[in-house]
Amino acid sequence: MPLLVDGRRVRLPRSAADLVRAHPLLEERARLLRGQSVQQVGPQGLLYVQQRELAVTSPKDGSVSILGSDDATTCHIVVLRHTGNGATCLTHCDGTDTKAEVPLIMSSIKSFSDHAQCGRLEVHLVGGFSDDRQLSQKLTHQLLSEFDKQDDDIHLVTLCVTELNDREENENHFPIIYGIAVNIKTAEIYRASFQDRGPEEQLRAARALAGGPNLSTSPLAEPPHFVEHIRSTLMFLKKFPSPANILFPGNKALLYKKNEDGLWEKISPGS
């Protein structure tokens, strides 16, 4: 079934700018999102999603009420939500394997959804900018095309990507929005930044860094803390060159839960 905007089939391929010109309501939503102030999101109730990660939950979750991600330059942050039961998935996509990622996003939402339930699937795409290598443009096209190929009707509600998320300063281009959060209970999506990126921030960042060909796809557009983030991640990899053997004894997963204060707490083996 097709990708829809306001009940009408989206005609692809076309650029993000052409798409919003054909659907003025998309342009208005992107303008309102760009105009928001950035909210600092605390750790209580937050599940932070790093690059190449996916998280899904529902309003019934008693521990996690906010999903969020930031530091997206050419990357796109994708939110897919079922309006009937509120099941929400947030993914930080970098274009590594979009063809595999989109079906995974769909199946994660369906695992929470009762097909007999009323409601529809709504998708929100945020991120990227007018980068010289046109990596953002390529990822925007990939995501729109892959969602359009899915079996279910998917309603495109927010499109604030690539040229719609671009600002120019001293002849260099930068994203306007680097990060967003979604409130699982209210479905509100807003501009956000995060101090807490746990649990296991360095381990998860090392996984993404070790699996990619570049430290950055757009060095000039990275946020101010990017260099320190890369330095700490490289130091982590130097300290744990084989983390699977040291950090996962017996090949057992590291388990965490939210405590009564809404903060991540490691679960001891056997507890």
Side-chain angles (χ1 to χ4, degrees):
M1 298 295 287
L3 188 66
L4 304 168
V5 176
D6 302 324
R8 289 189 290 153
R9 175 75 186 264
V10 172
R11 292 177 57 195
L12 297 173
R14 65 204 315 189
S15 69
D18 286 343
L19 193 52
V20 297
R21 276 194 287 269
H23 303 277
L25 196 54
L26 280 180
E27 187 165 22
E28 176 63 11
R29 290 178 188 139
R31 184 188 68 80
L32 291 173
L33 188 61
R34 290 192 304 265
Q36 290 182 4
S37 299
V38 178
Q39 297 188 39
Q40 295 284 340
V41 178
Q44 285 79 14
L46 168 68
L47 176 52
Y48 182 83
V49 177
Q50 296 206 30
Q51 185 173 333
R52 268 185 244 146
E53 290 184 341
L54 174 152
V56 60
T57 190
S58 78
K60 295 179 180 179
D61 192 326
S63 300
V64 173
S65 56
I66 296 171
L67 299 178
S69 189
D70 63 357
D71 291 356
T73 52
T74 58
C75 293
H76 290 17
I77 302 170
V78 179
V79 176
L80 182 69
R81 181 175 181 273
H82 189 281
T83 62
N85 61 11
T88 303
C89 175
L90 185 145
T91 317
H92 188 131
C93 298
D94 63 2
T96 302
D97 193 358
T98 307
K99 185 172 287 189
E101 285 174 337
V102 170
L104 188 60
I105 294 168
M106 296 292 294
S107 63
S108 71
I109 284 292
K110 289 179 181 180
S111 70
F112 278 78
S113 302
D114 178 355
H115 290 292
Q117 214 165 14
C118 295
R120 67 182 196 176
L121 291 170
E122 295 185 344
V123 68
H124 309 262
L125 307 180
V126 180
F129 67 109
S130 297
D131 62 284
D132 291 340
R133 298 164 64 190
Q134 296 191 328
L135 296 175
S136 303
Q137 185 182 62
K138 180 181 178 183
L139 182 53
T140 295
H141 172 71
Q142 288 175 344
L143 286 166
L144 290 172
S145 297
E146 290 305 318
F147 276 112
D148 193 50
K149 293 175 184 175
Q150 301 307 303
D151 292 335
D152 302 85
D153 283 352
I154 303 169
H155 298 262
L156 179 61
V157 176
T158 304
L159 186 70
C160 190
V161 294
T162 312
E163 59 263 52
L164 305 175
N165 189 44
D166 182 78
R167 67 179 180 86
E168 188 173 354
E169 182 179 325
N170 297 326
E171 299 184 352
N172 292 315
H173 290 262
F174 301 87
I176 297 171
I177 300 173
Y178 282 88
I180 60 170
V182 55
N183 185 310
I184 306 303
K185 314 289 189 202
T186 67
E188 179 190 7
I189 293 175
Y190 51 94
R191 293 181 63 177
S193 64
F194 310 87
Q195 292 298 318
D196 185 276
R197 295 178 171 86
E200 297 289 354
E201 176 184 356
Q202 289 183 328
L203 174 60
R204 292 159 63 198
R207 170 185 169 273
L209 185 63
N214 302 304
L215 294 180
S216 171
T217 56
S218 50
L220 290 176
E222 296 291 352
H225 59 264
F226 173 75
V227 173
E228 179 55 36
H229 170 71
I230 291 294
R231 182 184 293 117
S232 66
T233 303
L234 291 173
M235 291 298 293
F236 177 88
L237 285 169
K238 183 179 180 180
K239 184 177 180 181
F240 300 106
S242 301
N245 300 329
I246 301 170
L247 301 177
F248 300 92
N251 203 30
K252 293 182 179 178
L254 301 179
L255 301 177
Y256 286 81
K257 66 177 181 179
K258 287 282 188 179
N259 61 24
E260 293 179 355
D261 296 321
L263 306 177
W264 290 112
E265 184 177 279
K266 195 169 186 177
I267 302 174
S268 301
S271 64

